Amino acid sequence: MKYIVANWKSNKTMQECRQWINTFLSSVDTSAVKTALEQDRVQIVIAPPYPFIVPIREMIKGRRNIVLAAQNVSHFPAGSYTGEIAARSLTDLVVYAIIGHSERRVHLHETAQQISDKITYARENDISPILCVREIHEYSEQNVEFVAFEKFEAIGAGKNVPLDAVLSVRKNLNLKVGVKFLYGASVDRHNAAMYLRCPEIDGVLVGTASQNPQDFLSVVLEI
């Protein structure tokens, strides 16, 4: 199975989210993606901003292999941490959580300990972490099933990392058996096939190209 994650980041209104979902689902139903979903050849993971998780969850209810992810979880447990979203609050709402995204490491100065705590709290609440790493040293065999390599300089820059360089990173990570490896940074319809059709890459994390439902569908169609 290939995993294709749509990271909307800090974008969209409720109306825009509904339009995205309606357009995307309609397009899926008239494309080869529908068969791929039903045959468990691909799983589509949508990571919207927090306010839109519940309404989108209702819109995709009953859809096979279309699931939700949180873009983050708090490094605090549930409690007196105003403004934080504890992993416990997301239980039964999302399947995955993106943790350690390079934008948060850079702009919000997330530390290795905070990221480790987020992984712990996510797993305690039956949420599977997708750990993002920029460099090999940022992965130290944490208890995760997904590791996504994303070079910060390439994100949103239209400069995706060449396949051989991505595979070199994968090799040097020395991932445990069963850990899925994703690539993310300037993934779009022009380069998605290169990664999705490589047996050593289990999927992609899509940012800018996931903002438009047709652009994102074009990525998914490259499986």
Side-chain angles (χ1 to χ4, degrees):
M1 178 181 284
K2 296 290 183 177
Y3 300 84
I4 306 181
V5 185
N7 178 17
W8 290 355
K9 306 186 183 184
S10 184
N11 291 293
K12 301 194 183 302
T13 64
M14 186 67 254
Q15 181 180 0
E16 290 168 344
C17 288
R18 291 187 186 279
Q19 290 174 342
W20 193 103
I21 294 294
N22 286 330
T23 300
F24 182 72
L25 294 181
S26 295
S27 299
V28 163
D29 288 341
T30 57
S31 72
V33 174
K34 182 178 182 180
T35 300
L37 290 166
E38 292 172 347
Q39 294 178 346
D40 297 330
R41 291 192 286 115
V42 63
Q43 184 172 86
I44 295 170
V45 183
I46 302 170
Y50 284 127
F52 311 131
I53 288 175
V54 171
I56 291 176
R57 182 172 179 267
E58 292 303 307
M59 295 180 74
I60 65 172
K61 185 178 292 185
R63 291 278 180 165
R64 185 176 181 86
N65 282 319
I66 301 180
V67 300
L68 291 177
Q71 294 180 16
N72 182 42
V73 296
S74 178
H75 61 281
F76 294 113
S80 302
Y81 304 100
T82 300
E84 291 293 300
I85 307 294
R88 185 172 182 270
S89 297
L90 295 167
T91 302
D92 298 326
L93 294 179
V94 300
V95 176
Y96 304 102
I98 300 171
I99 294 177
H101 192 282
S102 60
E103 291 170 348
R104 295 193 61 85
R105 292 181 190 257
V106 171
H107 301 308
L108 297 167
H109 311 292
E110 288 191 350
T111 67
Q113 184 59 57
Q114 289 173 334
I115 290 168
S116 178
D117 290 342
K118 291 180 182 198
I119 291 171
T120 298
Y121 291 130
R123 292 189 60 83
E124 285 179 354
N125 289 279
D126 298 320
I127 298 170
S128 182
I130 300 173
L131 173 64
C132 297
V133 299
R134 300 167 296 176
E135 306 290 344
I136 295 167
H137 69 84
E138 291 178 342
Y139 173 71
S140 56
E141 296 192 3
Q142 287 99 329
N143 191 14
V144 297
E145 288 106 22
F146 294 84
V147 174
F149 168 61
E150 39 151 29
K151 194 173 183 65
F152 180 69
E153 294 80 4
I155 295 176
K159 299 179 180 178
N160 58 296
V161 179
L163 181 61
D164 58 348
V166 173
L167 292 178
S168 177
V169 169
R170 185 194 187 286
K171 179 180 179 181
N172 289 318
L173 284 171
N174 293 316
L175 299 174
K176 293 180 179 179
V177 175
V179 175
K180 305 290 191 299
F181 177 78
L182 312 182
Y183 169 73
S186 292
V187 176
D188 58 28
R189 62 187 178 86
H190 300 294
N191 57 48
M194 175 171 64
Y195 305 110
L196 290 172
R197 297 177 189 177
C198 176
E200 297 174 89
I201 297 177
D202 299 293
V204 290
L205 182 59
V206 187
T208 301
S210 73
Q211 298 300 313
N212 180 288
Q214 297 295 355
D215 289 346
F216 183 65
L217 181 70
S218 295
V219 171
V220 181
L221 284 168
E222 295 298 336
I223 56 173

